[in-house]
């Protein structure tokens, strides 16, 4: 993160956020991180409505049921050439298991199918750990 860079971090769990703060302090980046406690979709909607400066990157590792909603919001917030990254895109192989119809699995399956057809982005899936889906906005 460059000296003039900043991060907007969303979390609904104050306990996890407290852990994160300790590491941010140790790394010397506490002043560059704007932590928003509350549902991420509400935070993203507020950012969209305020016409904030475009983001270079969005990293989504939140409730998987809402990944398509996060994609829609992040696509509005990320600048052309910016990236939207989705963690756990392979969902431990569940996305290709037709017998797995869990809500989160279905949502990730839809996102994985949707992005390659979205002409607003270029897409890559990196089979690193549990899968990293990358969308680069045009």
């Amino acid at each position: 993160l460059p000296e003039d860079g900043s991060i907007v971090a969303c979390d609904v769990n104050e306990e996890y956020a407290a852990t994160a703060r300790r590491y941010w302090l140790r790394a010397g980046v506490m002043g560059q991180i704007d932590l928003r406690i509350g549902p991420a979709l509400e935070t993203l909607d507020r950012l969209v409505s305020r016409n904030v400066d475009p983001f270079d990157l969005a990293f989504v590792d939140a409730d998987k049921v809402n990944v398509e909603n996060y994609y829609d919001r992040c696509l509005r917030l990320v600048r052309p050439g910016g990236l939207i990254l989705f963690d756990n895109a392979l969902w431990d192989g569940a996305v290709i298991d037709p017998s797995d119809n869990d809500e989160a699995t279905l949502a990730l399956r839809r996102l994985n199918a949707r992005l390659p057809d979205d002409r607003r982005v270029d897409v890559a899936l990196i089979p690193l750990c549990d899968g990293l889906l990358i969308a680069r906005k045009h």
Side-chain angles (χ1 to χ4, degrees), residues 1 5-6 9 15-16 23 25 28 54-55 61 68 75 99 123 134:
L1 186 62
S6 64
E15 182 181 338
Y16 293 153
Y23 288 101
L25 187 60
F55 289 50
D61 187 20
E68 288 186 284
L75 196 58
S99 70
V123 181
I134 303 170

Side-chain angles (χ1 to χ4, degrees), residues 5-56:
S6 64
I7 293 173
V8 174
C10 303
D11 207 323
V12 292
N13 185 309
E14 184 60 49
E15 182 181 338
Y16 293 153
T19 300
R21 282 187 191 98
R22 286 196 307 269
Y23 288 101
W24 299 338
L25 187 60
R26 188 182 307 170
V29 295
M30 181 71 99
Q32 294 174 274
I33 299 175
D34 176 5
L35 176 63
R36 312 280 178 103
I37 300 293
L41 284 176
E42 292 176 14
T43 299
L44 295 175
D45 284 340
R46 280 192 297 277
L47 292 169
V48 167
S49 71
R50 291 182 184 150
N51 292 321
V52 297
D53 289 338
F55 289 50
D56 294 321

Side-chain angles (χ1 to χ4, degrees), residues 7 11 35 47 51 63 84 98 107 110 116 119 129-130:
I7 293 173
D11 207 323
L35 176 63
L47 292 169
N51 292 321
D63 71 295
I84 306 170
R110 283 191 307 269
R119 294 177 186 248
C129 297
D130 198 19

Side-chain angles (χ1 to χ4, degrees), residues 57-68 70-71 74 83-93 95 104-105 107-109 111-112 115 124-135:
L57 181 135
F59 180 76
V60 179
D61 187 20
D63 71 295
K64 304 307 180 197
V65 172
N66 276 301
V67 291
E68 288 186 284
Y70 293 123
Y71 174 65
C74 289
L83 301 175
I84 306 170
L85 309 174
F86 294 91
D87 201 16
N88 310 112
L90 297 177
W91 207 229
D92 201 30
V95 293
T105 302
L108 285 164
R109 194 177 290 147
L111 183 74
N112 284 327
L115 265 58
L125 174 63
I126 300 175
L128 177 74
C129 297
D130 198 19
L132 185 65
L133 182 62
I134 303 170

